[in-house]
Amino acid sequence: MYNTIIVPIELTHSERIQPMLSAARTLASENARIVLVSVVEDMPGYVASQIPSGVLAHQEKEVRDRLETIAGETGFRTDVSVRTGKPAREIIAAAKENDADLIVIASHRPGFGDFLIGSTAADVVRHAPCSVHVVREIG
């Protein structure tokens, strides 16, 4: 059983959230802590400079609020983290910072492009400092 579990949440793929949380619940110890992590990808500077001030902060607040709602439904001690950067790198950093025992991550069926450049889940599996449980998308 695992004590600290990182669950990366991609809010645009809400159908993946419950299967990941279910896997985390199954693998968690009685006093486990689950850390929900959502990563907002970096924007190039020339794009960010064109966005009105406050929009990015508002987006981060919306993401945090949605994560807080999900956290309230887990039944475990749950923390939330909204990070900015490359998803795989930030998920791995969150695992290191929280001294995680496990990362539960969703993965779609790999396509040809994934074999050339790799998916986020594949990068996390290759570079994680802890065990990784991949929840495969069905269908």
Side-chain angles (χ1 to χ4, degrees):
M1 301 311 251
Y2 298 94
N3 295 315
T4 303
I5 302 173
I6 302 292
V7 181
I9 302 290
E10 189 175 358
L11 294 171
T12 57
H13 291 286
S14 60
E15 73 280 358
R16 296 177 181 172
I17 296 172
Q18 287 309 316
M20 286 191 305
L21 291 177
S22 178
R25 279 187 209 98
T26 300
L27 297 166
S29 67
E30 185 177 327
N31 296 316
R33 178 173 67 105
I34 295 177
V35 181
L36 303 179
V37 176
S38 189
V39 180
V40 178
E41 288 200 56
D42 276 330
M43 284 185 235
Y46 64 88
V47 173
S49 68
Q50 300 302 312
I51 296 175
S53 65
V55 170
L56 296 177
H58 178 71
Q59 178 188 19
E60 182 176 330
K61 182 184 180 326
E62 283 184 355
V63 170
R64 183 172 302 283
D65 289 348
R66 289 187 63 196
L67 287 181
E68 292 286 350
T69 300
I70 294 165
E73 300 167 355
T74 65
F76 282 92
R77 184 172 52 126
T78 308
D79 297 325
V80 300
S81 175
V82 179
R83 304 172 71 97
T84 303
K86 300 278 186 213
R89 188 176 323 148
E90 293 302 319
I91 293 164
I92 292 165
K96 289 177 182 176
E97 290 167 15
N98 288 282
D99 195 25
D101 305 299
L102 178 68
I103 299 170
V104 175
I105 190 167
S107 179
H108 59 79
R109 293 192 182 277
F112 184 68
D114 295 321
F115 293 111
L116 298 177
I117 59 173
S119 69
T120 298
D123 287 344
V124 170
V125 167
R126 280 193 293 274
H127 302 290
C130 58
S131 296
V132 179
H133 180 87
V134 179
V135 177
R136 176 70 69 189
E137 185 177 294
I138 297 174

